[in-house]
Amino acid sequence: MNTSTSDNWMVESGQENPHRPLLDDLVMAWARDRSTGEPRYIGELKAHQTGAACNCECYSCGLPLQAVNAGNPDYKRRPSFRHPAGAAKDECLILSARVAALEMLQREGNLRLPMRRIKGAVQGLSGQYHNAWAVAPTETVRVARFEFRDKTAAIITLEDGRTFRAVLEGSIAAQQQDAGTTSLIPTIVMAIDDPALAGMPPDELRKRITIISEHALWCSHWNDEKLAKEAEDKAVDEARQALDWGAADRETLLHLIAKQILEEEKRIRLPDLTGTARTTLQDGESLTASKSYPGAMVQLDEVALEKDMGRTRPDVIAQMRESFPWEAGPILIEVTVTNAITEERMQRIRHNNLPTLEIDIRQLGGKVSRGEYARLVVDEVAGKRWLYHPAEVLLRQGAAVTLSQLASERNREIEQRREQEVEQEKFRKIPESLQRIIPPPSERTAASSYPRKTNTHNWKHGPVSTANNAQWRSCGCTQWEDVLRYGEDRRAEHQPVAIALRMCSERYSYSVGLLRGIWLSAGLIQ
């Protein structure tokens, strides 16, 4: 950071120059009193202190200086300090600017120290890094005194006794200067590389001090060790909240936290337990029926972690209180972090014959905060499923009974629909002149084709010689003639009409309703 602008560069004539001049054109307005060691500003000297009478020396090279035009209000050459003839003054001008800045710090008394931020980072069990920051806020302090230790730095003591090393770096980069600097003296980078500051009066310099102090950067701080510890603790807490810290591996950690959560909450919401039965109908359609225990929040006691249970070692074991229809007893909980439950493990779970619930956090992308994990374990049903429950067998049996009844009804409907389709197909084979005599299958009832007489039919006695009879016999379909002849033979044998219709239906594969209609229209029955 360079605090200078082209408008602030001063030349010997006192006129403004839009271009940066050579150092030889600049003047030195600050020096050190050879008797007291205090900074002296050229504008503070009186006329009798002109020349060597100023008793001042250069901060940089230590050579005696002469005051030019000191205390002269009618100067043509701007008042300044001058080196002996032939002495190099480049470095001296820059150092004079730095002295001027620190002089104003002491004169003004107040210094606004910048914020100090320290980063902490820890690597979690997942391999990811968790970052956090500790911050010392900005503060305004009063400067009690300062002293130079070398050409580029000063020790500033605050009124509260704290000290910091002001490294006047003269660039925008924050770099550590002295390798041997003690960490107990914090270092702040202040950009003062503008020799023009050496010639600025106090009022103008006062404006620059504000800029310098507000844009300072800490290289080290009194509380760096404390801030570093705070930042690391925060990073660990971030990792812990992300369930990524505190055990040999993340899976073990999640099991531990699941147990802690259940021990604290002593409750868990169970998902529905459903038993399902399946069958296939006569038309090939699949049919299912289910019986369920509705999900519910149940109370838990005696939560234990990874306790041997037969051939298995479930992640969590707890005792569940009764909450109808859920019975009291042990419940096993498996927490799935990475790998799915294998079939071999499922066989061992079924062998225990105990309710076993799975909580699968993979549905949350494998990364979850502790609060989200607590909701998943306790309150949510998402990610939960029953691996095994003894009551599921009873639920499946109940579903099978319901399914059997439902399937029977559906199969009867299928059979009736097929019979109607067959009847309709056979009806289409009847000549149109005869189709008017009997109702179509869609208009027939199960009891009879003719609702006017639905109970019983009797044989007509005497010869059968109706126009319909003749039409059936002469329609070109020998089967209709056989149907009529079969009816006449059964009438001759005095066989009941109902039995004759049924036997004729079985023989010729026509429905009883259709045959009844034919015999009625032909005058065989009444």
Side-chain angles (χ1 to χ4, degrees):
M1 175 180 65
N2 193 323
T3 59
S4 66
T5 61
S6 59
D7 293 339
N8 289 325
W9 289 97
M10 309 297 295
V11 295
E12 288 184 312
S13 63
Q15 301 298 318
E16 295 183 356
N17 190 333
H19 303 290
R20 178 168 178 161
L22 297 174
L23 289 175
D24 289 340
D25 297 326
L26 299 173
V27 297
M28 180 183 293
W30 292 86
R32 179 170 56 199
D33 190 293
R34 301 182 69 180
S35 300
T36 65
E38 294 181 355
R40 300 298 300 271
Y41 179 60
I42 188 64
E44 298 174 330
L45 299 182
K46 306 300 181 182
H48 68 274
Q49 294 176 304
T50 299
C54 67
N55 192 33
C56 292
E57 64 183 8
C58 177
Y59 272 101
S60 179
C61 62
L63 292 175
L65 300 176
Q66 292 183 353
V68 178
N69 285 330
N72 182 7
D74 300 320
Y75 64 86
K76 293 182 179 180
R77 179 184 177 89
R78 184 181 176 187
S80 62
F81 291 104
R82 183 172 60 190
H83 279 78
K89 62 178 181 179
D90 294 8
E91 184 179 0
C92 301
L93 284 171
I94 294 176
L95 183 59
S96 178
R98 296 168 180 169
V99 173
L102 291 175
E103 170 67 12
M104 290 311 303
L105 286 178
Q106 188 172 21
R107 288 194 177 194
E108 292 298 312
N110 294 329
L111 174 65
R112 185 168 179 81
L113 300 180
M115 175 181 64
R116 177 59 165 168
R117 297 177 75 231
I118 295 286
K119 180 181 178 181
V122 297
Q123 187 176 21
L125 298 173
S126 64
Q128 296 182 342
Y129 279 89
H130 302 268
N131 302 319
W133 293 86
V135 177
T138 60
E139 60 176 323
T140 300
V141 296
R142 289 190 60 81
V143 177
R145 68 179 186 277
F146 73 91
E147 58 178 306
F148 279 94
R149 293 292 179 85
D150 52 41
K151 294 181 180 181
T152 59
I155 301 300
I156 297 179
T157 303
L158 306 180
E159 287 191 340
D160 60 8
R162 287 180 295 170
T163 61
F164 66 89
R165 176 186 173 96
V167 177
L168 307 182
E169 182 102 11
S171 69
I172 195 171
Q175 301 176 0
Q176 187 72 35
Q177 285 293 307
D178 297 327
T181 302
T182 174
S183 60
L184 297 178
I185 303 178
T187 302
I188 187 171
V189 175
M190 303 180 70
I192 309 174
D193 63 350
D194 187 352
L197 290 177
M200 288 185 180
D203 290 343
E204 179 66 20
L205 190 57
R206 184 177 294 109
K207 300 176 183 178
R208 292 300 189 94
I209 292 300
T210 302
I211 297 174
I212 292 169
S213 61
E214 287 184 353
H215 292 79
L217 299 174
W218 286 108
C219 290
S220 61
H221 192 275
W222 301 280
N223 297 326
D224 272 357
E225 184 175 349
K226 177 182 177 182
L227 291 173
K229 179 63 168 59
E230 180 183 345
E232 182 179 353
D233 291 345
K234 288 182 177 180
V236 170
D237 188 61
E238 289 285 338
R240 187 175 289 111
Q241 290 299 319
L243 306 187
D244 204 16
W245 186 270
D249 58 78
R250 191 161 187 259
E251 190 161 0
T252 300
L253 175 65
L254 290 174
H255 297 164
L256 287 169
I257 295 177
K259 176 180 177 293
Q260 292 173 1
I261 291 171
L262 293 175
E263 281 182 329
E264 294 169 0
E265 297 289 337
K266 295 189 181 301
R267 60 191 180 93
I268 188 171
R269 181 173 295 281
L270 304 179
D272 293 349
L273 176 64
T274 303
T276 302
R278 296 176 175 83
T279 189
T280 302
L281 300 177
Q282 292 180 359
D283 61 356
E285 180 184 356
S286 178
L287 189 65
T288 62
S290 300
K291 294 288 185 180
S292 299
Y293 284 173
M297 183 71 74
V298 297
Q299 302 300 312
L300 300 177
D301 297 312
E302 301 178 21
V303 179
L305 180 67
E306 295 187 351
K307 180 180 178 182
D308 289 334
M309 182 69 66
R311 297 170 55 198
T312 62
R313 193 178 188 184
D315 297 328
V316 179
I317 303 174
Q319 291 295 321
M320 184 171 64
R321 299 180 190 175
E322 182 177 2
S323 178
F324 183 82
W326 303 94
E327 296 181 356
I331 179 174
L332 314 182
I333 300 174
E334 298 286 354
V335 180
T336 301
V337 180
T338 53
N339 300 321
I341 304 294
T342 63
E343 179 57 30
E344 186 273 337
R345 191 174 177 185
M346 280 296 302
Q347 291 179 0
R348 287 187 278 128
I349 288 173
R350 287 191 285 266
H351 182 75
N352 286 333
N353 198 35
L354 292 174
T356 304
L357 181 67
E358 180 188 32
I359 302 176
D360 189 352
I361 71 165
R362 293 176 300 174
Q363 296 190 15
L364 297 176
K367 187 175 181 180
V368 58
S369 69
R370 195 182 192 282
E372 292 171 338
Y373 189 47
R375 286 193 299 273
L376 176 65
V377 170
V378 177
D379 298 311
E380 301 294 335
V381 294
K384 293 179 182 177
R385 68 167 179 140
W386 288 105
L387 297 176
Y388 177 79
H389 199 293
E392 187 177 356
V393 176
L394 299 177
L395 292 173
R396 282 200 302 268
Q397 291 174 353
V401 173
T402 301
L403 181 64
S404 177
Q405 297 172 351
L406 182 60
S408 297
E409 295 175 2
R410 293 286 298 276
N411 284 330
R412 280 197 297 271
E413 293 174 358
I414 293 171
E415 291 176 356
Q416 291 175 359
R417 186 168 61 250
R418 288 177 175 174
E419 289 177 358
Q420 290 176 358
E421 292 172 355
V422 172
E423 283 288 297
Q424 189 67 36
E425 184 63 28
K426 291 179 178 180
F427 183 76
R428 294 192 188 98
K429 297 179 181 179
I430 299 175
E432 293 183 5
S433 59
L434 295 174
Q435 288 181 4
R436 298 191 303 271
I437 300 174
I438 58 176
S442 59
E443 298 179 6
R444 300 175 198 157
T445 63
S448 171
S449 300
Y450 296 88
R452 58 186 174 82
K453 191 174 183 180
T454 61
N455 295 326
T456 59
H457 293 274
N458 297 317
W459 297 109
K460 271 190 176 182
H461 298 289
V464 177
S465 58
T466 64
N468 290 339
N469 190 311
Q471 207 172 357
W472 284 110
R473 294 179 185 277
S474 61
C475 69
C477 179
T478 56
Q479 200 169 49
W480 302 130
E481 186 177 357
D482 293 341
V483 166
L484 292 174
R485 186 180 297 110
Y486 185 87
E488 291 172 348
D489 293 343
R490 304 288 81 75
R491 183 182 68 166
E493 295 174 358
H494 303 288
Q495 192 177 70
V497 173
I499 296 176
L501 284 170
R502 187 166 63 251
M503 293 177 64
C504 184
S505 174
E506 294 174 355
R507 180 166 184 169
Y508 293 103
S509 300
Y510 289 105
S511 69
V512 171
L514 177 60
L515 295 174
R516 183 187 296 116
I518 294 174
W519 285 2
L520 280 168
S521 66
L524 278 174
I525 59 176
Q526 60 182 4

